[in-house]
Amino acid sequence: MVDPIPLVDLAAQHAQVAEEVQAGWAEVLARTAFVGGPQVAAFEAEYAAYVGAAHCVGVGNGTDAIELALRACGIGAGDECVLPANTFIATAEAVVRAGATPVLVDCDPHTYLVDPDAVAAAITPRTRAILPVHLYGQLAETERLAPLAARAGAVLVEDAAQAQGARRHGAGMGGVGRVAATSFYPGKNLGAYGDAGAVVTGDAELAGRVRLLGEHGSPRKYEHSTVGFNSRMDTLQAVVLSAKLRRLEGWNAARRVAARRYDALLSEVAGVIRPATLEGNEHVWHLYVVRVSERDLVLKRLHEAGIGAGVHYPVPVHLTAAFASLGYPEGAFPQAEEAAGQILSLPLFAEITAPQQERVVSVLAEALA
Ligand SMILES: Cc1ncc(COP(=O)(O)O)c(C=O)c1O
């Protein structure tokens, strides 16, 4: 039996940071200071500098990061937030948890990024936020969305969970929007060893409100100026993230090389639509998503051959049971729905080898023959 090829190889990545993480963790354990502290502050400063934002606030996870960003912008009951139907459910969950109403829109059929024309058509007098999702590792058309938000008196809150290191016309997450939220879930390009997330923004006051809300509304111990909740970054996670951040540019470059190799290998395979990069984007290939007909059969064949392909995501938000109450019928978002039945994420990580990619493509070609 040949070795399986995972969708993401976290062991290969850990090997590169193991020593640094162990040394950093030993220090945290010796001090028994597990929440916040200098390691979290250091990571926040490093990540803010990396993305080119003035402020970064570490939080418990990416879903909280979106919710906190929305709440810190004053968004709540009676407000509408426009977001794509083809996203991970967390984008919509965060809107509901903030007390607002998700208004879903369709995506571009080639890049799967939110369609700015659809966003424009969905704006109402109650629109208070537009949430583009920087899906699969490339930024949405923020330069078209930001003016739409400004005209509507809404804020642009970027869901940048899948886009650590991605740039559009040279600017990273939060470069155009007022605020961006990201997730450091283990499988992300920059992944922790558990849950973690962050909010980045150029607005000091907004960053302060995010921190306040995630700290039980407490500016000082046992002083509570507002009702918040608990969403803080663990110190152990900050140690991991700092070690990995130093290597992220190299890992993202390796992902780009691997994506180009898939592009070349797949150009020979009939029946596969390769992923498209939007002009002006520096993609970080969180996921390499192709499109095939008979996707479920192809996925089964890949799994049988030990290849960890995935689907991100098989059911658009409006067709989940959780969001049926929004009332969107089947057919409401034809591009998102058609894509959901055909998309297929192939294994991609910085350490993937050419022979591994060749095997993925050869099994895929056989399944399609
Ligand atoms: C697009 C998107 N938004 C939000 C999230 C939520 O992040 P988390 O799992 O850290 O809560 C994720 C990842 O899981 C995601 O991929």
Side-chain angles (χ1 to χ4, degrees), residues 259-300:
R260 278 199 296 272
R261 193 181 294 130
Y262 268 141
D263 283 344
L265 291 167
L266 290 168
S267 66
E268 311 287 323
V269 182
V272 179
I273 298 174
R274 290 171 288 163
T277 300
L278 191 67
E279 180 79 34
N281 267 350
E282 200 176 312
H283 207 309
V284 292
W285 298 102
H286 173 59
L287 291 166
Y288 187 92
V289 178
V290 299
R291 202 157 163 164
V292 293
S293 54
E294 307 263 8
R295 192 268 321 283
D296 291 341
L297 192 73
V298 172
L299 184 65
K300 187 164 166 275

Side-chain angles (χ1 to χ4, degrees), residues 76-221:
D79 297 334
E80 291 179 355
C81 301
V82 183
L83 64 131
N86 63 320
T87 180
F88 182 55
I89 196 132
T91 326
E93 277 177 329
V95 169
V96 170
R97 280 180 24 184
T101 304
V103 172
L104 303 179
V105 295
D106 214 347
C107 64
D108 177 271
H110 308 292
T111 61
Y112 313 115
L113 295 168
V114 69
D115 175 355
D117 292 328
V119 172
I123 288 173
T124 76
R126 285 164 48 163
T127 306
R128 293 287 315 282
I130 296 173
L131 286 93
V133 178
H134 301 323
L135 203 64
Y136 306 150
Q138 64 173 330
L139 267 57
E141 282 178 275
T142 41
E143 75 283 4
R144 286 182 65 196
L145 297 167
L148 290 178
R151 230 173 296 141
V155 285
L156 196 67
V157 178
E158 302 171 41
D159 179 341
Q162 301 188 0
Q164 287 109 15
R167 293 179 189 93
R168 176 154 186 76
H169 302 303
M173 61 174 71
V176 174
R178 179 146 172 237
V179 56
T182 197
S183 161
F184 302 121
Y185 182 76
K188 299 293 192 247
N189 287 37
L190 180 61
Y193 289 174
D195 281 309
V199 175
V200 299
T201 179
D203 181 335
E205 212 183 302
L206 186 58
R209 276 202 299 280
V210 168
R211 201 179 288 287
L212 184 75
L213 287 169
E215 281 268 13
H216 299 291
S218 174
R220 273 167 296 281
K221 202 164 187 178

